[in-house]
Amino acid sequence: MEQQLTVYNTLSRTKELFVPLHAPNVGMYVCGPTVYGDAHLGHARPAITFDILFRYLTHIGYKVRYVRNITDVGHLEHDADEGEDKIAKKARLDQVEPMEVVQYYLNRYRKAMEALNVLGPSIEPHASGHIIEQIELVQKILDAGYAYVSEGSVYFDVEKYNKDHHYGKLSGRNLDDVLNTTRDLDGQSEKRNPADFALWKKAQPEHIMRWPSPWSDGFPGWHAECTAMGRKYLGEHFDIHGGGMDLIFPHHECEIAQSVASQGDDMVRYWMHNNMITINGTKMGKSLGNFITLDEFFTGSHPLLTQAYTAMTIRFFILQAHYRSTVDFSNEALQAAEKGLQRLMEAVSAIDKIKSSASSSVDVKLLRAKCYEAMNDDMNTPILIAHLFDGAKMINNIVAGNDTISEADLKELKDTFHLFCFDVLGLKEEIGSSDGREAAYGKVVDMLLDQRNKAKANKDWATSDLIRNELTALGFEIKDTKDGSEWRLNK
């Protein structure tokens, strides 16, 4: 059966049937990391959200070109118009080259994404590698009359654009709202209007990252990079642009204005945004100083954490909420996610222990249909997970002998869990707890249990009990079944 995905389009504020611009090809652009610090939980959410979309679109038959950019230039304080470039600032303080800062944190970001089982994008362009394209974009906007040069910098003329088009259609703001919330920043005298944003900034003498342009030696504004690189790799019109909802204004609003000003119409058909990670109801982020890095989660080294959490626990925790809902951090929620993931993975492992019968008393096809239905409804991962837990109960009932399953349905059940747990949700079986003890002991435990089973077969109860008692003392729970022994490491 052909699957049809419905997505929530931030621009129209409605759920829409996803129809690719160039079916079966899909162009998807997602705002990636700004590499001047370690990735934190807030970075994990968009990465995981659009990883799910990438996985699912690929599964249902589309060829996806997934572009996720690296911001390594032009990301200035607050609105990318004023202040010191954050990467250049860190390079100056650490007395290193800016690209050393970029490479260091990019390596760490990729390592964290690999741990979270986030697939790499098709293309991962750097802003610093596309200065020519950004200069060309600025020139097109100037030629169209929607930008002006002031003291070597180039600004987008928001008021003029708003007369011909609608500045604010993505965020729902009007120009008066923008004017009333614009901060009084240094350098505003260069602008005709406080709401105008920088397309190109003239570099001050101390500014490290700078490039020649027709207007000055300088650097591009933050918003220009995504418009320029999206157009380069996906064309003047593409299907999906995604990112966190904190980017809706000003970043994505400015992107829309830039694309319309430079080419006459909208570049993006579907805008998709994930909601925030919060801590005590407040957005988690670097600017507020309330963030927890992914490494701190993996090691349990942050004072707000009561333990370490595996990468898959973090992934499962995020997927338990719909991508457009907020997720509030707490140790209790993470511990619940850890236990839920363990139950799900135990059910997956138990499938291999099932022996088929002549007929089925369970409806596996209905389970599979419900899983697709959840994903097709705007990637409703919490409902999908609920259906998988229903499937876990089905598995446990079959193992207990309360239900039966045919050979064909058993294969369908195994395929369904593999598809939705691993291929779509991107989970992977982790042997063990957060500190990795079970991974180290797993093969040894299996060997000891094999020796225990042989001792039991020889009626050597003393050796059998000794092995069991020693493993229990080390924190392993041993469960005897009709087919042998099972074990797990208690928390």
Side-chain angles (χ1 to χ4, degrees):
M1 176 182 173
E2 184 177 325
Q3 303 298 328
Q4 293 184 309
L5 173 64
T6 298
V7 298
Y8 184 87
N9 189 346
T10 309
L11 186 59
S12 64
R13 295 168 180 78
T14 58
K15 284 185 182 180
E16 301 176 19
L17 181 65
F18 176 70
V19 181
L21 189 66
H22 300 295
N25 298 321
V26 172
M28 182 168 84
Y29 189 101
V30 175
C31 290
T34 303
V35 283
Y36 60 89
D38 278 332
H40 57 74
L41 194 61
H43 291 125
R45 192 166 197 197
I48 290 171
T49 295
F50 292 100
D51 181 57
I52 297 292
L53 181 58
F54 183 28
R55 288 170 177 271
Y56 190 63
L57 287 172
T58 301
H59 165 66
I60 61 178
Y62 294 115
K63 182 180 179 181
V64 184
R65 177 175 288 175
Y66 176 14
V67 180
R68 186 180 68 205
N69 70 297
I70 300 295
T71 297
D72 56 1
V73 61
H75 193 278
L76 304 177
E77 299 293 338
H78 186 65
D79 66 353
D81 284 359
E82 310 298 336
E84 185 176 6
D85 183 288
K86 293 177 181 179
I87 295 170
K89 180 178 180 180
K90 188 162 186 63
R92 177 175 54 79
L93 293 175
D94 294 349
Q95 295 185 321
V96 297
E97 282 290 327
M99 287 305 159
E100 287 184 73
V101 176
V102 169
Q103 196 63 53
Y104 174 79
Y105 287 111
L106 182 55
N107 290 345
R108 292 175 67 82
Y109 174 80
R110 286 173 174 161
K111 184 178 178 182
M113 293 304 106
E114 183 179 355
L116 291 168
N117 205 25
V118 171
L119 300 176
S122 313
I123 304 172
E124 196 171 45
H126 288 233
S128 62
H130 296 78
I131 300 299
I132 292 173
E133 289 84 358
Q134 292 174 79
I135 289 173
E136 289 174 347
L137 171 67
V138 175
Q139 189 60 59
K140 285 182 179 179
I141 297 172
L142 279 167
D143 293 344
Y146 292 111
Y148 57 92
V149 181
S150 177
E151 299 181 30
S153 295
V154 184
Y155 293 98
F156 191 94
D157 193 330
V158 171
E159 187 172 21
K160 183 174 182 181
Y161 174 84
N162 193 56
K163 289 177 182 178
D164 300 331
H165 306 283
H166 179 195
Y167 182 79
K169 65 181 182 179
L170 182 66
S171 60
R173 305 186 186 202
N174 59 48
L175 190 54
D176 289 337
D177 293 334
V178 176
L179 289 172
N180 289 334
T181 56
T182 301
R183 297 189 307 154
D184 185 16
L185 298 170
D186 292 339
Q188 291 282 21
S189 59
E190 294 182 4
K191 302 179 183 181
R192 295 176 183 172
N193 189 308
D196 294 348
F197 58 89
L199 296 171
W200 184 266
K201 284 291 292 182
K202 180 179 180 180
Q204 298 302 311
E206 67 276 8
H207 201 96
I208 304 173
M209 301 179 80
R210 57 201 297 149
W211 292 265
S213 79
W215 316 289
S216 64
D217 277 6
F219 49 94
W222 172 33
H223 313 304
E225 64 182 88
C226 292
T227 305
M229 293 189 291
R231 178 179 289 155
K232 178 179 177 67
Y233 294 109
L234 299 174
E236 290 191 348
H237 303 97
F238 58 89
D239 300 294
I240 297 169
H241 196 319
M245 67 178 300
D246 56 323
L247 297 178
I248 292 175
F249 187 89
H251 186 45
H252 289 166
E253 196 73 75
C254 292
E255 279 196 62
I256 290 177
Q258 289 171 159
S259 66
V260 173
S262 60
Q263 68 183 42
D265 60 358
D266 284 305
M267 183 180 291
V268 179
R269 299 183 71 214
Y270 300 91
W271 287 88
M272 296 180 66
H273 295 89
N274 63 272
N275 215 319
M276 298 179 293
I277 301 275
T278 59
I279 179 167
N280 297 323
T282 302
K283 176 192 170 186
M284 182 181 285
K286 281 192 173 72
S287 60
L288 298 174
N290 64 349
F291 65 95
I292 304 174
T293 70
L294 292 174
D295 275 352
E296 287 171 332
F297 275 105
F298 300 158
T299 60
S301 58
H302 194 281
L304 289 177
L305 299 174
T306 59
Q307 66 178 79
Y309 297 96
T310 68
M312 285 302 100
T313 297
I314 300 297
R315 187 177 179 105
F316 192 68
F317 167 68
I318 289 173
L319 293 176
Q320 283 182 304
H322 191 273
Y323 77 90
R324 289 191 288 110
S325 302
T326 56
V327 176
D328 196 53
F329 157 81
S330 71
N331 279 285
E332 293 76 16
L334 280 165
Q335 287 162 358
E338 185 176 58
K339 290 177 181 176
L341 177 61
Q342 184 179 14
R343 281 197 295 128
L344 194 59
M345 292 298 104
E346 286 173 354
V348 172
S349 297
I351 296 176
D352 291 330
K353 301 183 178 74
I354 294 175
K355 290 182 171 58
S356 60
S357 302
S359 61
S360 294
S361 61
V362 294
D363 193 341
V364 180
K365 287 184 172 59
L366 179 61
L367 172 66
R368 189 180 184 95
K370 285 181 176 179
C371 290
Y372 272 119
E373 183 180 6
M375 281 303 298
N376 289 336
D377 183 18
D378 195 25
M379 300 198 307
N380 202 327
T381 57
I383 298 299
L384 170 59
I385 289 170
H387 292 323
L388 290 173
F389 276 124
D390 288 340
K393 291 178 186 176
M394 180 191 297
I395 292 166
N396 293 334
N397 280 329
I398 296 169
V399 171
N402 300 326
D403 281 309
T404 60
I405 189 167
S406 68
E407 185 176 353
D409 282 349
L410 179 56
K411 182 180 183 303
E412 178 89 354
L413 182 64
K414 186 179 290 188
D415 288 348
T416 297
F417 266 82
H418 189 280
L419 168 63
F420 288 102
C421 283
F422 304 136
D423 294 347
V424 174
L425 290 182
L427 301 172
K428 60 183 179 182
E429 291 182 281
E430 289 179 313
I431 302 175
S433 61
S434 311
D435 60 8
R437 286 177 296 159
E438 197 170 339
Y441 297 151
K443 292 183 179 179
V444 177
V445 174
D446 288 338
M447 181 180 69
L448 287 171
L449 289 179
D450 184 55
Q451 293 299 315
R452 180 172 177 266
N453 289 334
K454 289 178 180 177
K456 288 171 64 179
N458 294 329
K459 300 188 185 312
D460 183 358
W461 308 118
T463 301
S464 171
D465 290 344
L466 177 65
I467 293 174
R468 181 189 182 100
N469 293 340
E470 289 294 333
L471 288 173
T472 300
L474 288 169
F476 294 93
E477 180 181 328
I478 310 302
K479 181 180 179 182
D480 290 323
T481 69
K482 61 181 181 180
D483 298 316
S485 300
E486 298 176 356
W487 63 272
R488 72 177 184 180
L489 183 61
N490 288 321
K491 303 299 178 189

